[in-house]
Amino acid sequence: MRSFAVILGPTARRGLSRLMPVAHRLRGAGARIRVEYTQTAEQARQRATAALHGGEVVVAAGGDGTIGLLAGAVADTGGLLGVIPAGRGNDFARQLGLPHSPEAVADLLLHGRPRHLDVLQVAGQIIVGSVYVGVDAAANELANRSRLPAALVYPTAGLRALLRWPRTRYTISVDGRTEHRHAYTVVIANCGYYGGGLHVAPAAQPDDGTLDVVVIGHAPKVLFPIALRQMRTGRHVRRGHVFSYRGTSVTVRADRPMTVYGDGDPVGRADEVTVEVRPQALHVIAG
């Protein structure tokens, strides 16, 4: 029988509400589960590392940012991660087909098999889904400050970011091959989904040892909302101003400082960012 340690951060109300019915079912099945409340990201990582060394399964009750925060500790110790989807986007859970009902989540945590997944390494951080720069990063900043419902927050933030976005030139190097593009956004993906269900990189698989790079090239702004709608199904990649690449190491440079986001949270601000893949470094209960 597995033992579980749920690591919650200071803004974990949503995760806590999703956790309680799952915890009730785990305890009913005889599993041991405890909850750690933390105040900072560093404290969360430390508590996760201690739990893993104690033989516990670390559980992320939250969204993609929470999962990415704990994934670094899990990957570095070779432990096991469980997920209770409780975020606004839940794109990592969507990619893996993880269940949402308390009964199904508890059953998976108890009996599911580990799946070995890749992670992204950027600026000393671990990212599980994607790293992105451009109008989508700007939209993410707006979304993080928004109080709109989840169904409205990303489309609204995306439109606001687009209207104020200046023309930007990127230099994109993938395994040493370099392209120059004027673009709205550059996405370096381990998983195919981001932004609350947008299938931005439909070919991406989180266990194939490679990164999928999708560049939304410059075009009249009136066309961007069309491409955004097509991202729901991945059809945007057929458009002439959308470019795709694959590799294991990606460096993106811009003609001005850019905000870098990963899994819905800020990574930093710079005029250059390098992302590399760590193949099958993360073990997640997903089978």
Side-chain angles (χ1 to χ4, degrees):
M1 183 66 69
R2 289 166 172 160
S3 295
F4 302 95
V6 183
I7 312 298
L8 294 175
T11 60
R13 264 180 252 165
R14 187 185 180 102
L16 184 60
S17 65
R18 291 280 296 165
L19 165 65
M20 299 314 293
V22 176
H24 177 74
R25 286 165 174 79
L26 291 175
R27 290 190 178 107
R32 179 176 177 269
I33 179 170
R34 64 185 183 85
V35 180
E36 289 262 16
Y37 295 91
T38 62
Q39 297 302 313
T40 66
E42 183 57 33
Q43 188 180 47
R45 284 188 285 263
Q46 291 173 354
R47 298 287 178 84
T49 299
L52 292 161
H53 284 312
E56 295 174 297
V57 176
V58 164
V59 177
D64 300 315
T66 301
I67 295 166
L69 173 64
L70 300 179
V74 176
D76 289 342
T77 61
L80 189 57
L81 178 71
V83 176
I84 300 175
R88 285 194 300 190
N90 295 321
D91 289 308
F92 184 73
R94 182 177 288 105
Q95 177 74 42
L96 299 186
L98 299 183
H100 283 74
S101 73
E103 298 86 356
V105 171
D107 185 67
L108 178 65
L109 291 175
L110 287 167
H111 306 296
R113 298 187 306 276
R115 183 175 173 184
H116 299 177
L117 305 180
D118 308 332
V119 295
L120 310 182
Q121 184 91 35
V122 54
Q125 298 184 42
I126 293 295
I127 303 294
V128 296
S130 60
V131 175
Y132 41 96
V133 298
V135 70
D136 48 1
N140 215 146
E141 283 191 306
L142 295 172
N144 285 349
R145 297 196 296 265
S146 175
R147 296 185 179 181
L148 290 173
L152 296 176
V153 64
Y154 290 111
T156 303
L159 180 59
R160 290 177 58 196
L162 174 65
L163 292 175
R164 64 180 70 169
W165 188 251
R167 184 178 174 93
T168 305
R169 185 175 186 268
Y170 296 97
T171 300
I172 304 148
S173 298
V174 182
D175 291 347
R177 305 184 309 272
T178 299
E179 297 274 352
H180 302 281
R181 300 283 182 192
H182 282 94
Y184 287 114
T185 189
V186 180
V187 182
I188 304 158
N190 181 44
C191 296
Y193 292 94
Y194 84 155
L198 298 178
H199 208 183
V200 64
Q205 295 295 327
D207 56 2
D208 62 0
T210 61
L211 308 173
D212 283 65
V213 183
V214 177
V215 181
I216 311 296
H218 185 79
K221 286 187 177 182
V222 69
L223 296 180
F224 192 86
I226 298 173
L228 193 64
R229 287 198 299 271
Q230 291 180 331
M231 282 187 199
R232 290 288 172 188
T233 59
R235 289 171 52 223
H236 64 290
V237 297
R238 304 175 189 174
R239 303 190 68 84
H241 64 280
V242 177
F243 308 92
S244 299
Y245 312 95
R246 303 192 84 199
T248 59
S249 179
V250 180
T251 297
V252 179
R253 302 176 187 88
D255 60 6
R256 59 192 180 84
M258 56 187 176
T259 299
V260 184
Y261 260 70
D263 292 342
D265 289 327
V267 172
R269 186 169 175 82
D271 56 9
E272 178 179 318
V273 62
T274 296
V275 183
E276 296 182 330
V277 65
R278 286 177 56 182
Q280 300 195 358
L282 179 65
H283 302 169
V284 180
I285 301 176

